[in-house]
Amino acid sequence: MKVAVIRKAHFNAAHRLHNPAWDAAKNQAVFGLCNNPNWHGHNYELEVKVIGEIDPDTGMVVDLGWLADLIRREVEDRFDHKNLNLDTEAFRHLIPTAENIAVVIWQILRAHLPEQYDLHVRLYETPRNFVEYPA
Amino acid sequence: MKVAVIRKAHFNAAHRLHNPAWDAAKNQAVFGLCNNPNWHGHNYELEVKVIGEIDPDTGMVVDLGWLADLIRREVEDRFDHKNLNLDTEAFRHLIPTAENIAVVIWQILRAHLPEQYDLHVRLYETPRNFVEYPA
Amino acid sequence: MKVAVIRKAHFNAAHRLHNPAWDAAKNQAVFGLCNNPNWHGHNYELEVKVIGEIDPDTGMVVDLGWLADLIRREVEDRFDHKNLNLDTEAFRHLIPTAENIAVVIWQILRAHLPEQYDLHVRLYETPRNFVEYPA
Amino acid sequence: MKVAVIRKAHFNAAHRLHNPAWDAAKNQAVFGLCNNPNWHGHNYELEVKVIGEIDPDTGMVVDLGWLADLIRREVEDRFDHKNLNLDTEAFRHLIPTAENIAVVIWQILRAHLPEQYDLHVRLYETPRNFVEYPA
Amino acid sequence: MKVAVIRKAHFNAAHRLHNPAWDAAKNQAVFGLCNNPNWHGHNYELEVKVIGEIDPDTGMVVDLGWLADLIRREVEDRFDHKNLNLDTEAFRHLIPTAENIAVVIWQILRAHLPEQYDLHVRLYETPRNFVEYPA
Amino acid sequence: MKVAVIRKAHFNAAHRLHNPAWDAAKNQAVFGLCNNPNWHGHNYELEVKVIGEIDPDTGMVVDLGWLADLIRREVEDRFDHKNLNLDTEAFRHLIPTAENIAVVIWQILRAHLPEQYDLHVRLYETPRNFVEYPA
């Protein structure tokens, strides 16, 4: 009787899409406006889905307070009001596309989640563009 | 050519998270504010997903009017403006967490849905916390 | 050059609409399902609007951190996960309709807001019903 | 490391649910208000989900500009501000239910999407009724 | 102590923007896609705002059940799943723009609302375009 | 018979709140995380409200296509995917708070709007913080 529990969170950050292996023209051609050297930014909306069995004593899959604290400490405090390219270890050598940010957040949270749970991440870069990992 | 049809519904209810096998201190430690003996409440938003083949004569998987009536009669009329712990059979001996409410709603609707359909339930307890069953 | 700044907040509470001066039949006739003696509840969504001049040194009308803290302390901590009728002073002798809750919240916040600001409150009882004070 | 990328789009259209093999009474009984011979309409909200591997050079699964252009050209330009029954080839002999529209959009986009990608479509007919294909 | 109470409702309708005093070319130039002779349609979302004094006996400005019934009978039943141009008296000789629909709904509801209340109408034609009357 | 017409738009930008007349400690104390020297960013959601009389020939207050083009050219093209502090004239010497951005957008649009119209701007910096000008 597996149930999924989803918690929403958010953070605001600046980023730039840029591949240092390419010249300026190719970066501009591939990434367009997102390549602006002076950065742009987003309100990222995050949904963290944890799947597991209901504990019959609590009626809960996971303590939602614990999950909210984990997301705050590991994701929001790390990325909120930051420049993803300059201020974070994770994107020093990885292009901070929504796809890569979702995978990084999944990896961070996976390391803190007991093994019996499955984990899925959905990340909205804008209200009209979002990604899910794993697909 | 299986298609999923989703219908949204909602109900407002009071509840309290409390395990009678535990003393007050443990209930408070586990459930926090949700253990308030005087109750609190939510606007529950429900999404009922029915999966099946498209009927070539109607172009529909299921008659949406029939589905909306079923949800109104079996879920909304049963839970809306109720105290889940005191006013409903389902939660007299089951803690009304979002997880358990979702499973109960699934069981109620499953019993009324023809066998050829699959059924999934998503329940929002707040705009930032929601559950899905089956996961 | 007056600008309005709006901050959203929320709280979950139980309540019951009941006028002790009336008998059960009249209460039922007037308040319907909302008169359930075992309570029901809502996710209240609150928008607090503060109107004032932009401070040229900060570019801000009001320190949003200060405003968010004020709302948390005076509104969320007071009402969240509470039974409005039983657990709060404000509604011991006042029917906790959305209209009255909005006026009470306005009065609470008005007392903490410097005089040069105007204050407006919008309160959603459900996504389809909400109130504004002053109108 | 498969990631899903979702792009939202929308179009406004008129339609009528009607099976020409049935008489007026049966059409009315099955389709109700949706059978109105003078048409009615909707704001259709579309979510197109493309699943694939992240390209390590771009950090992206698919060029979102390319995907947005594809949806605009193949879906929005074809259906926006149209009468689905009268103005489009796809629904000349197919009842334009949400289910059938979703399948048709999937077939149109599938033909333009490189083979390595998986494709899913979600279509909102109203904020409370929506469908997904494949389920 | 005036409070505003807002109730949301919705209806789905087909329409066409066309001025019979103009030729086809001018209609096309002014109304563009909205002039399609085969109609298109929308999910109209309606917010009806009623302003008045709180009744101290009920804590309410207006009986929300009465208001919801009024909107259902006078607006939803009249316009839902209709062709505004062909199926309604109001738009037989009036172009059914969002502006005109809002004014018509205001006039209909105003005639049923006791004099002591003020009335405002907001109408969403799409999630990105909406109108308010009176301004 | 004045009606308000509202059009939504959006842009994504980076910014930093910083008063060059203050030292680093005071900037940090006043602006907190928003003072990050490496920038952060937002998805700004904009609502432009134009108030005027309905033209009886068109049923419209203003040509919505014209208004959408004006917002695209004067606001979206100017601010989207930009660093507000570095890439725009308007905020070279003005702190890009939501309040100031709203006033600047109002001033830009006002200059292009015929005199008979009133203009109001609402700007969401995040889903929970927004401003309105004039108040």
Side-chain angles (χ1 to χ4, degrees):
Chain A
M1 200 175 273
K2 293 221 164 188
V3 175
V5 175
I6 298 95
R7 173 75 184 173
K8 291 195 189 180
H10 61 271
F11 55 94
N12 311 319
H15 77 155
R16 179 199 187 193
L17 303 187
H18 182 79
N19 184 337
W22 295 341
D23 63 15
K26 177 144 191 200
N27 271 294
Q28 175 63 31
V30 171
F31 295 120
L33 289 173
C34 299
N35 185 239
N36 180 353
N38 284 333
W39 322 99
H40 67 285
H42 297 289
N43 303 332
Y44 292 94
E45 300 282 333
L46 175 68
E47 293 182 10
V48 176
K49 181 194 287 195
V50 173
I51 298 174
E53 300 284 342
I54 297 180
D55 176 332
D57 286 336
T58 64
M60 300 190 291
V61 165
V62 67
D63 183 314
L64 210 55
W66 174 84
L67 180 61
D69 281 347
L70 175 68
I71 299 170
R72 191 173 308 116
R73 196 180 65 236
E74 296 295 333
V75 180
E76 292 178 321
D77 288 355
R78 193 185 299 243
F79 296 136
D80 190 35
H81 283 76
K82 296 288 172 57
N83 181 309
L84 297 179
N85 305 59
L86 298 181
D87 295 334
T88 74
E89 277 307 310
F91 299 104
R92 216 170 283 280
H93 305 296
L94 184 67
I95 305 173
T97 55
E99 290 91 326
N100 279 337
I101 302 172
V103 172
V104 163
I105 289 174
W106 184 91
Q107 290 167 335
I108 290 171
L109 293 176
R110 179 69 273 180
H112 292 83
L113 202 65
E115 216 176 68
Q116 73 267 28
Y117 296 115
D118 285 328
L119 174 67
H120 293 255
V121 162
R122 175 187 280 183
L123 183 73
Y124 287 81
E125 191 171 79
T126 77
R128 298 185 63 188
N129 299 334
F130 58 102
V131 300
E132 297 172 345
Y133 179 76
Chain B
M1 199 175 276
K2 293 220 164 189
V3 175
V5 174
I6 297 96
R7 173 75 185 173
K8 291 195 189 180
H10 60 272
F11 56 95
N12 311 318
H15 79 154
R16 177 198 187 194
L17 304 188
H18 182 78
N19 184 336
W22 295 341
D23 63 15
K26 178 146 190 197
N27 270 294
Q28 175 62 29
V30 171
F31 296 119
L33 289 173
C34 299
N35 186 238
N36 180 353
N38 284 333
W39 322 99
H40 66 284
H42 296 290
N43 302 334
Y44 292 95
E45 300 282 333
L46 175 68
E47 293 182 10
V48 175
K49 181 195 286 196
V50 173
I51 299 174
E53 299 283 342
I54 298 181
D55 177 333
D57 287 336
T58 64
M60 301 190 289
V61 165
V62 66
D63 183 314
L64 210 56
W66 175 84
L67 180 62
D69 282 346
L70 176 67
I71 299 170
R72 191 173 309 116
R73 195 180 66 237
E74 296 296 332
V75 179
E76 293 178 320
D77 289 355
R78 193 185 300 241
F79 296 136
D80 189 35
H81 283 75
K82 296 289 171 58
N83 182 307
L84 297 179
N85 305 60
L86 298 181
D87 295 334
T88 74
E89 277 307 310
F91 299 104
R92 216 169 284 280
H93 305 295
L94 184 67
I95 305 174
T97 55
E99 290 91 328
N100 279 337
I101 302 172
V103 172
V104 163
I105 289 172
W106 185 91
Q107 290 168 335
I108 290 171
L109 293 176
R110 181 68 274 181
H112 292 82
L113 202 64
E115 215 175 71
Q116 73 267 26
Y117 296 115
D118 285 329
L119 175 67
H120 293 256
V121 162
R122 175 187 281 182
L123 183 73
Y124 288 81
E125 191 172 79
T126 76
R128 298 185 64 189
N129 299 334
F130 57 101
V131 300
E132 296 172 345
Y133 179 76
Chain C
M1 199 175 272
K2 294 220 164 188
V3 175
V5 175
I6 298 95
R7 173 73 185 174
K8 291 195 189 180
H10 60 272
F11 55 94
N12 311 318
H15 78 154
R16 178 199 186 193
L17 303 187
H18 181 79
N19 184 336
W22 295 342
D23 63 14
K26 178 145 191 199
N27 270 294
Q28 174 63 29
V30 171
F31 295 120
L33 289 172
C34 299
N35 185 240
N36 180 353
N38 285 332
W39 321 99
H40 66 285
H42 296 289
N43 302 333
Y44 292 94
E45 299 283 332
L46 174 68
E47 293 183 9
V48 175
K49 181 194 286 196
V50 173
I51 299 175
E53 299 284 341
I54 299 180
D55 176 333
D57 286 336
T58 64
M60 299 190 291
V61 166
V62 66
D63 183 314
L64 210 55
W66 175 84
L67 180 61
D69 281 347
L70 175 67
I71 299 170
R72 191 173 307 115
R73 194 181 67 236
E74 296 295 333
V75 179
E76 292 177 321
D77 288 356
R78 194 185 299 243
F79 296 137
D80 190 34
H81 283 76
K82 295 290 171 57
N83 182 308
L84 297 179
N85 306 60
L86 299 181
D87 294 335
T88 74
E89 276 308 309
F91 299 104
R92 216 170 283 280
H93 305 294
L94 184 67
I95 305 174
T97 56
E99 289 91 328
N100 279 336
I101 302 172
V103 172
V104 163
I105 290 173
W106 185 90
Q107 290 168 334
I108 291 170
L109 294 176
R110 179 69 275 181
H112 292 82
L113 203 64
E115 215 175 70
Q116 73 267 29
Y117 296 116
D118 286 328
L119 175 66
H120 293 256
V121 162
R122 176 187 279 182
L123 183 73
Y124 287 82
E125 191 172 79
T126 75
R128 299 185 63 188
N129 300 333
F130 59 101
V131 299
E132 296 172 346
Y133 179 76
Chain D
M1 197 175 275
K2 293 220 165 188
V3 175
V5 175
I6 298 96
R7 173 75 185 173
K8 291 195 189 180
H10 61 271
F11 56 93
N12 310 318
H15 78 154
R16 177 198 186 193
L17 303 188
H18 182 79
N19 184 336
W22 294 342
D23 63 16
K26 177 144 191 200
N27 271 293
Q28 175 63 29
V30 170
F31 295 119
L33 289 173
C34 298
N35 185 239
N36 179 354
N38 284 333
W39 322 101
H40 66 285
H42 296 289
N43 302 332
Y44 292 95
E45 299 283 333
L46 175 68
E47 293 182 10
V48 176
K49 181 194 285 196
V50 173
I51 299 174
E53 300 284 342
I54 297 180
D55 177 332
D57 287 336
T58 64
M60 301 191 290
V61 166
V62 66
D63 183 314
L64 210 56
W66 175 84
L67 181 61
D69 282 346
L70 176 66
I71 299 170
R72 190 173 310 116
R73 194 180 66 236
E74 295 296 332
V75 179
E76 293 178 320
D77 288 356
R78 193 185 300 241
F79 295 136
D80 190 36
H81 283 75
K82 295 290 171 59
N83 182 306
L84 297 179
N85 306 61
L86 298 181
D87 295 335
T88 73
E89 277 308 309
F91 298 105
R92 215 170 284 280
H93 305 295
L94 184 67
I95 305 175
T97 56
E99 290 92 327
N100 279 338
I101 302 172
V103 172
V104 162
I105 290 173
W106 184 90
Q107 290 168 334
I108 291 171
L109 293 176
R110 180 69 274 180
H112 292 81
L113 203 64
E115 216 174 69
Q116 74 267 29
Y117 296 116
D118 285 329
L119 175 67
H120 293 256
V121 162
R122 175 186 280 182
L123 183 73
Y124 287 81
E125 192 172 79
T126 75
R128 298 184 64 188
N129 299 333
F130 58 101
V131 300
E132 296 172 346
Y133 179 76
Chain E
M1 199 175 271
K2 294 221 164 188
V3 175
V5 175
I6 298 95
R7 172 76 184 173
K8 291 194 189 181
H10 61 271
F11 55 94
N12 311 318
H15 77 155
R16 178 199 186 192
L17 303 187
H18 182 79
N19 184 336
W22 295 341
D23 64 13
K26 177 143 191 203
N27 271 294
Q28 175 62 29
V30 172
F31 296 120
L33 289 172
C34 299
N35 185 239
N36 179 354
N38 285 332
W39 322 99
H40 67 284
H42 297 289
N43 302 333
Y44 291 95
E45 301 282 332
L46 175 68
E47 293 182 10
V48 175
K49 180 194 288 196
V50 173
I51 299 175
E53 300 284 342
I54 297 181
D55 176 333
D57 287 336
T58 63
M60 300 190 290
V61 166
V62 67
D63 183 314
L64 210 56
W66 174 83
L67 181 62
D69 282 346
L70 175 67
I71 299 170
R72 191 174 307 116
R73 194 180 67 237
E74 295 296 333
V75 179
E76 293 177 322
D77 289 356
R78 195 185 298 243
F79 296 136
D80 190 36
H81 282 76
K82 296 289 171 57
N83 182 307
L84 297 178
N85 306 60
L86 298 181
D87 295 335
T88 73
E89 277 307 309
F91 299 104
R92 215 170 284 280
H93 305 295
L94 185 67
I95 305 174
T97 56
E99 290 91 328
N100 279 336
I101 302 172
V103 173
V104 162
I105 290 174
W106 184 91
Q107 291 168 333
I108 291 171
L109 293 176
R110 180 68 275 181
H112 292 82
L113 202 65
E115 216 174 70
Q116 74 267 28
Y117 296 116
D118 284 329
L119 174 67
H120 292 256
V121 162
R122 175 186 280 180
L123 183 73
Y124 288 81
E125 192 171 79
T126 76
R128 298 184 64 188
N129 300 333
F130 58 102
V131 300
E132 296 172 344
Y133 180 76
Chain F
M1 199 174 273
K2 293 221 164 187
V3 175
V5 175
I6 298 95
R7 173 74 185 174
K8 291 195 188 179
H10 61 271
F11 55 94
N12 312 318
H15 78 155
R16 178 199 188 193
L17 303 187
H18 182 79
N19 183 337
W22 295 341
D23 64 14
K26 177 145 192 199
N27 270 294
Q28 175 61 31
V30 171
F31 295 120
L33 289 173
C34 299
N35 186 239
N36 180 354
N38 284 333
W39 322 99
H40 66 284
H42 296 289
N43 303 333
Y44 292 94
E45 301 282 333
L46 175 68
E47 294 182 9
V48 176
K49 180 194 287 197
V50 173
I51 298 175
E53 300 284 341
I54 298 180
D55 177 332
D57 287 336
T58 64
M60 301 190 290
V61 166
V62 66
D63 182 314
L64 210 57
W66 175 84
L67 181 61
D69 282 346
L70 175 67
I71 299 170
R72 190 173 310 116
R73 195 181 66 236
E74 295 295 333
V75 180
E76 293 178 321
D77 288 356
R78 194 186 299 242
F79 296 136
D80 189 36
H81 283 75
K82 296 288 170 59
N83 182 307
L84 297 179
N85 306 60
L86 299 181
D87 295 335
T88 73
E89 278 307 310
F91 299 105
R92 216 170 282 279
H93 305 295
L94 184 67
I95 305 175
T97 56
E99 290 91 328
N100 279 337
I101 302 172
V103 172
V104 163
I105 290 174
W106 184 90
Q107 290 168 334
I108 291 170
L109 293 176
R110 180 69 274 181
H112 292 81
L113 202 65
E115 218 175 68
Q116 73 266 29
Y117 295 116
D118 284 329
L119 174 67
H120 293 256
V121 162
R122 174 186 280 181
L123 182 73
Y124 287 81
E125 190 171 80
T126 76
R128 298 185 64 188
N129 300 334
F130 58 102
V131 300
E132 296 172 346
Y133 179 77

